[in-house]
PDB file of all heavy atoms in Angstrom:
ATOM      1  N   ILE A1268      15.122  17.660   4.979  1.00 49.00           N
ATOM      2  CA  ILE A1268      16.455  17.842   4.333  1.00 49.00           C
ATOM      3  C   ILE A1268      16.998  16.575   3.728  1.00 49.00           C
ATOM      4  O   ILE A1268      17.964  16.559   3.017  1.00 49.00           O
ATOM      5  CB  ILE A1268      17.475  18.414   5.349  1.00 49.00           C
ATOM      6  CG1 ILE A1268      17.561  17.616   6.640  1.00 49.00           C
ATOM      7  CG2 ILE A1268      17.177  19.884   5.680  1.00 49.00           C
ATOM      8  CD1 ILE A1268      18.805  17.802   7.494  1.00 49.00           C
ATOM      9  N   VAL A1273      12.081   6.686  -2.023  1.00 97.00           N
ATOM     10  CA  VAL A1273      11.828   5.261  -2.166  1.00 97.00           C
ATOM     11  C   VAL A1273      11.106   5.091  -3.526  1.00 97.00           C
ATOM     12  O   VAL A1273      11.361   4.122  -4.234  1.00 97.00           O
ATOM     13  CB  VAL A1273      10.878   4.837  -1.004  1.00 97.00           C
ATOM     14  CG1 VAL A1273      10.401   3.407  -1.188  1.00 97.00           C
ATOM     15  CG2 VAL A1273      11.675   4.958   0.335  1.00 97.00           C
ATOM     16  N   GLU A1277       8.100  10.632 -12.508  1.00 98.00           N
ATOM     17  CA  GLU A1277       8.241  11.915 -13.270  1.00 98.00           C
ATOM     18  C   GLU A1277       7.316  11.848 -14.503  1.00 98.00           C
ATOM     19  O   GLU A1277       7.549  11.010 -15.395  1.00 98.00           O
ATOM     20  CB  GLU A1277       9.661  12.072 -13.676  1.00 98.00           C
ATOM     21  CG  GLU A1277      10.451  12.813 -12.570  1.00 98.00           C
ATOM     22  CD  GLU A1277      11.932  13.009 -12.993  1.00 98.00           C
ATOM     23  OE1 GLU A1277      12.193  13.416 -14.156  1.00 98.00           O
ATOM     24  OE2 GLU A1277      12.748  12.681 -12.163  1.00 98.00           O
ATOM     25  N   VAL A1289      -4.042   7.468 -15.731  1.00 98.00           N
ATOM     26  CA  VAL A1289      -3.145   8.284 -14.967  1.00 98.00           C
ATOM     27  C   VAL A1289      -2.480   9.238 -15.921  1.00 98.00           C
ATOM     28  O   VAL A1289      -1.904   8.823 -16.948  1.00 98.00           O
ATOM     29  CB  VAL A1289      -2.044   7.400 -14.238  1.00 98.00           C
ATOM     30  CG1 VAL A1289      -0.960   8.299 -13.646  1.00 98.00           C
ATOM     31  CG2 VAL A1289      -2.714   6.511 -13.178  1.00 98.00           C
ATOM     32  N   GLY A1303      -0.800   8.819   2.290  1.00 97.00           N
ATOM     33  CA  GLY A1303      -2.202   8.416   1.978  1.00 97.00           C
ATOM     34  C   GLY A1303      -2.487   8.795   0.590  1.00 97.00           C
ATOM     35  O   GLY A1303      -2.322   9.892   0.160  1.00 97.00           O
ATOM     36  N   GLY A1311      -7.933   6.101 -10.449  1.00 97.00           N
ATOM     37  CA  GLY A1311      -6.584   5.687 -10.898  1.00 97.00           C
ATOM     38  C   GLY A1311      -5.639   5.336  -9.783  1.00 97.00           C
ATOM     39  O   GLY A1311      -4.452   5.190  -9.947  1.00 97.00           O
ATOM     40  N   GLY A1321       5.949  -1.261 -10.417  1.00 95.00           N
ATOM     41  CA  GLY A1321       6.430  -1.855 -11.600  1.00 95.00           C
ATOM     42  C   GLY A1321       5.502  -3.001 -12.212  1.00 95.00           C
ATOM     43  O   GLY A1321       5.927  -3.756 -13.035  1.00 95.00           O
ATOM     44  N   LEU A1322       4.236  -2.935 -11.770  1.00 94.00           N
ATOM     45  CA  LEU A1322       3.276  -3.968 -12.281  1.00 94.00           C
ATOM     46  C   LEU A1322       2.633  -3.477 -13.574  1.00 94.00           C
ATOM     47  O   LEU A1322       1.977  -4.272 -14.251  1.00 94.00           O
ATOM     48  CB  LEU A1322       2.201  -4.192 -11.223  1.00 94.00           C
ATOM     49  CG  LEU A1322       2.769  -4.699  -9.859  1.00 94.00           C
ATOM     50  CD1 LEU A1322       1.682  -4.738  -8.802  1.00 94.00           C
ATOM     51  CD2 LEU A1322       3.424  -6.051  -9.986  1.00 94.00           C
ATOM     52  N   PHE A1333      13.524   2.758  -5.041  1.00 96.00           N
ATOM     53  CA  PHE A1333      14.760   2.678  -4.290  1.00 96.00           C
ATOM     54  C   PHE A1333      15.972   3.113  -5.192  1.00 96.00           C
ATOM     55  O   PHE A1333      17.005   2.517  -5.187  1.00 96.00           O
ATOM     56  CB  PHE A1333      15.020   1.227  -3.763  1.00 96.00           C
ATOM     57  CG  PHE A1333      14.011   0.843  -2.738  1.00 96.00           C
ATOM     58  CD1 PHE A1333      12.967   0.026  -3.017  1.00 96.00           C
ATOM     59  CD2 PHE A1333      14.090   1.348  -1.394  1.00 96.00           C
ATOM     60  CE1 PHE A1333      12.044  -0.423  -2.053  1.00 96.00           C
ATOM     61  CE2 PHE A1333      13.190   0.898  -0.399  1.00 96.00           C
ATOM     62  CZ  PHE A1333      12.140   0.057  -0.781  1.00 96.00           C
ATOM     63  N   GLY A1334      15.727   4.188  -5.942  1.00 94.00           N
ATOM     64  CA  GLY A1334      16.780   4.788  -6.719  1.00 94.00           C
ATOM     65  C   GLY A1334      17.178   4.099  -7.982  1.00 94.00           C
ATOM     66  O   GLY A1334      18.031   4.521  -8.732  1.00 94.00           O
ATOM     67  N   VAL A1349      -0.050  -5.452  -0.218  1.00 86.00           N
ATOM     68  CA  VAL A1349      -1.390  -6.111   0.070  1.00 86.00           C
ATOM     69  C   VAL A1349      -2.361  -5.516  -0.983  1.00 86.00           C
ATOM     70  O   VAL A1349      -2.690  -4.330  -0.881  1.00 86.00           O
ATOM     71  CB  VAL A1349      -1.864  -5.845   1.520  1.00 86.00           C
ATOM     72  CG1 VAL A1349      -3.248  -6.433   1.738  1.00 86.00           C
ATOM     73  CG2 VAL A1349      -0.822  -6.319   2.517  1.00 86.00           C
ATOM     74  N   ARG A1356     -10.681 -12.046  -1.098  1.00 56.00           N
ATOM     75  CA  ARG A1356     -10.409 -13.251  -1.892  1.00 56.00           C
ATOM     76  C   ARG A1356      -9.905 -14.350  -0.977  1.00 56.00           C
ATOM     77  O   ARG A1356     -10.265 -15.483  -1.088  1.00 56.00           O
ATOM     78  CB  ARG A1356      -9.444 -12.987  -2.989  1.00 56.00           C
ATOM     79  CG  ARG A1356     -10.075 -12.236  -4.161  1.00 56.00           C
ATOM     80  CD  ARG A1356      -9.136 -12.221  -5.352  1.00 56.00           C
ATOM     81  NE  ARG A1356      -9.116 -10.898  -5.919  1.00 56.00           N
ATOM     82  CZ  ARG A1356      -8.060 -10.104  -5.886  1.00 56.00           C
ATOM     83  NH1 ARG A1356      -6.959 -10.460  -5.247  1.00 56.00           N
ATOM     84  NH2 ARG A1356      -8.158  -8.932  -6.421  1.00 56.00           N
ATOM     85  N   ARG A1365       1.182 -19.584   9.568  1.00 94.00           N
ATOM     86  CA  ARG A1365       2.637 -19.681   9.690  1.00 94.00           C
ATOM     87  C   ARG A1365       3.304 -19.896   8.395  1.00 94.00           C
ATOM     88  O   ARG A1365       4.328 -19.291   8.028  1.00 94.00           O
ATOM     89  CB  ARG A1365       3.084 -20.711  10.747  1.00 94.00           C
ATOM     90  CG  ARG A1365       4.563 -20.775  11.029  1.00 94.00           C
ATOM     91  CD  ARG A1365       4.973 -21.965  11.832  1.00 94.00           C
ATOM     92  NE  ARG A1365       4.244 -22.027  13.075  1.00 94.00           N
ATOM     93  CZ  ARG A1365       4.520 -21.291  14.157  1.00 94.00           C
ATOM     94  NH1 ARG A1365       5.491 -20.442  14.126  1.00 94.00           N
ATOM     95  NH2 ARG A1365       3.809 -21.458  15.243  1.00 94.00           N
ATOM     96  N   ALA A1374      12.458 -15.085   0.146  1.00 67.00           N
ATOM     97  CA  ALA A1374      13.242 -14.123  -0.620  1.00 67.00           C
ATOM     98  C   ALA A1374      14.629 -13.937  -0.045  1.00 67.00           C
ATOM     99  O   ALA A1374      15.586 -13.731  -0.724  1.00 67.00           O
ATOM    100  CB  ALA A1374      12.516 -12.792  -0.700  1.00 67.00           C
ATOM    101  N   GLY A1377      17.162 -17.647   0.021  1.00 65.00           N
ATOM    102  CA  GLY A1377      17.968 -17.912  -1.194  1.00 65.00           C
ATOM    103  C   GLY A1377      18.531 -19.341  -1.149  1.00 65.00           C
ATOM    104  O   GLY A1377      19.619 -19.590  -1.693  1.00 65.00           O
ATOM    105  N   SER A1392       7.372 -11.872  13.780  1.00 92.00           N
ATOM    106  CA  SER A1392       6.384 -11.146  12.967  1.00 92.00           C
ATOM    107  C   SER A1392       4.971 -11.450  13.306  1.00 92.00           C
ATOM    108  O   SER A1392       4.145 -10.558  13.337  1.00 92.00           O
ATOM    109  CB  SER A1392       6.615 -11.560  11.463  1.00 92.00           C
ATOM    110  OG  SER A1392       7.976 -11.287  11.127  1.00 92.00           O
ATOM    111  N   LEU A1393       4.689 -12.724  13.629  1.00 94.00           N
ATOM    112  CA  LEU A1393       3.368 -13.101  14.134  1.00 94.00           C
ATOM    113  C   LEU A1393       3.008 -12.375  15.426  1.00 94.00           C
ATOM    114  O   LEU A1393       1.907 -11.917  15.555  1.00 94.00           O
ATOM    115  CB  LEU A1393       3.264 -14.621  14.267  1.00 94.00           C
ATOM    116  CG  LEU A1393       3.326 -15.479  12.966  1.00 94.00           C
ATOM    117  CD1 LEU A1393       3.646 -16.907  13.278  1.00 94.00           C
ATOM    118  CD2 LEU A1393       2.036 -15.299  12.189  1.00 94.00           C
ATOM    119  N   GLY A1438     -14.357  -4.336   4.390  1.00 72.00           N
ATOM    120  CA  GLY A1438     -14.918  -5.536   4.921  1.00 72.00           C
ATOM    121  C   GLY A1438     -14.383  -5.878   6.304  1.00 72.00           C
ATOM    122  O   GLY A1438     -14.602  -7.006   6.794  1.00 72.00           O
ATOM    123  N   LEU A1451      -0.123  -0.091  11.848  1.00 91.00           N
ATOM    124  CA  LEU A1451       0.604   0.582  10.781  1.00 91.00           C
ATOM    125  C   LEU A1451       1.428   1.734  11.306  1.00 91.00           C
ATOM    126  O   LEU A1451       2.551   2.005  10.865  1.00 91.00           O
ATOM    127  CB  LEU A1451      -0.405   1.155   9.722  1.00 91.00           C
ATOM    128  CG  LEU A1451      -1.091   0.180   8.749  1.00 91.00           C
ATOM    129  CD1 LEU A1451      -1.763   0.946   7.684  1.00 91.00           C
ATOM    130  CD2 LEU A1451      -0.074  -0.821   8.185  1.00 91.00           C
ATOM    131  N   ILE A1461       5.265   3.790   4.168  1.00 97.00           N
ATOM    132  CA  ILE A1461       3.933   3.196   3.952  1.00 97.00           C
ATOM    133  C   ILE A1461       3.241   4.033   2.840  1.00 97.00           C
ATOM    134  O   ILE A1461       3.220   5.248   2.905  1.00 97.00           O
ATOM    135  CB  ILE A1461       3.098   3.136   5.247  1.00 97.00           C
ATOM    136  CG1 ILE A1461       3.808   2.239   6.230  1.00 97.00           C
ATOM    137  CG2 ILE A1461       1.660   2.770   4.950  1.00 97.00           C
ATOM    138  CD1 ILE A1461       3.086   2.090   7.565  1.00 97.00           C
ATOM    139  N   GLY A1469     -11.040  10.503   6.575  1.00 89.00           N
ATOM    140  CA  GLY A1469     -10.746  10.806   7.959  1.00 89.00           C
ATOM    141  C   GLY A1469      -9.553   9.950   8.439  1.00 89.00           C
ATOM    142  O   GLY A1469      -8.649  10.428   9.158  1.00 89.00           O
ATOM    143  N   GLU A1484      -5.431  12.917 -12.840  1.00 97.00           N
ATOM    144  CA  GLU A1484      -4.336  13.831 -12.605  1.00 97.00           C
ATOM    145  C   GLU A1484      -4.109  14.026 -11.126  1.00 97.00           C
ATOM    146  O   GLU A1484      -5.033  13.752 -10.312  1.00 97.00           O
ATOM    147  CB  GLU A1484      -4.601  15.226 -13.230  1.00 97.00           C
ATOM    148  CG  GLU A1484      -4.670  15.151 -14.743  1.00 97.00           C
ATOM    149  CD  GLU A1484      -5.354  16.363 -15.298  1.00 97.00           C
ATOM    150  OE1 GLU A1484      -5.193  17.457 -14.714  1.00 97.00           O
ATOM    151  OE2 GLU A1484      -6.058  16.244 -16.334  1.00 97.00           O
ATOM    152  N   HIS A1487      -3.353  17.118  -5.563  1.00 95.00           N
ATOM    153  CA  HIS A1487      -2.584  17.650  -4.413  1.00 95.00           C
ATOM    154  C   HIS A1487      -1.564  16.628  -4.088  1.00 95.00           C
ATOM    155  O   HIS A1487      -1.791  15.434  -4.092  1.00 95.00           O
ATOM    156  CB  HIS A1487      -3.544  17.856  -3.244  1.00 95.00           C
ATOM    157  CG  HIS A1487      -2.853  18.280  -2.002  1.00 95.00           C
ATOM    158  ND1 HIS A1487      -2.679  19.609  -1.719  1.00 95.00           N
ATOM    159  CD2 HIS A1487      -2.269  17.559  -0.989  1.00 95.00           C
ATOM    160  CE1 HIS A1487      -2.016  19.724  -0.533  1.00 95.00           C
ATOM    161  NE2 HIS A1487      -1.796  18.484  -0.073  1.00 95.00           N
ATOM    162  N   SER A1493      -1.663  20.832   4.822  1.00 93.00           N
ATOM    163  CA  SER A1493      -1.924  21.614   3.642  1.00 93.00           C
ATOM    164  C   SER A1493      -3.044  20.967   2.768  1.00 93.00           C
ATOM    165  O   SER A1493      -3.817  21.732   2.153  1.00 93.00           O
ATOM    166  CB  SER A1493      -0.688  21.872   2.840  1.00 93.00           C
ATOM    167  OG  SER A1493      -0.237  20.679   2.283  1.00 93.00           O
ATOM    168  N   SER A1497      -6.660  22.763   1.861  1.00 91.00           N
ATOM    169  CA  SER A1497      -6.802  23.068   0.411  1.00 91.00           C
ATOM    170  C   SER A1497      -8.218  22.646  -0.047  1.00 91.00           C
ATOM    171  O   SER A1497      -8.952  21.995   0.705  1.00 91.00           O
ATOM    172  CB  SER A1497      -5.796  22.322  -0.385  1.00 91.00           C
ATOM    173  OG  SER A1497      -6.153  20.924  -0.498  1.00 91.00           O
TER     174      SER A1497
END
Side-chain angles (χ1 to χ4, degrees):
I1268 53 162
V1273 173
E1277 274 178 46
V1289 170
L1322 302 172
F1333 295 102
V1349 180
R1356 283 191 224 108
R1365 185 189 304 282
S1392 305
L1393 291 165
L1451 287 192
I1461 296 181
E1484 293 163 34
H1487 177 90
S1493 67
S1497 77

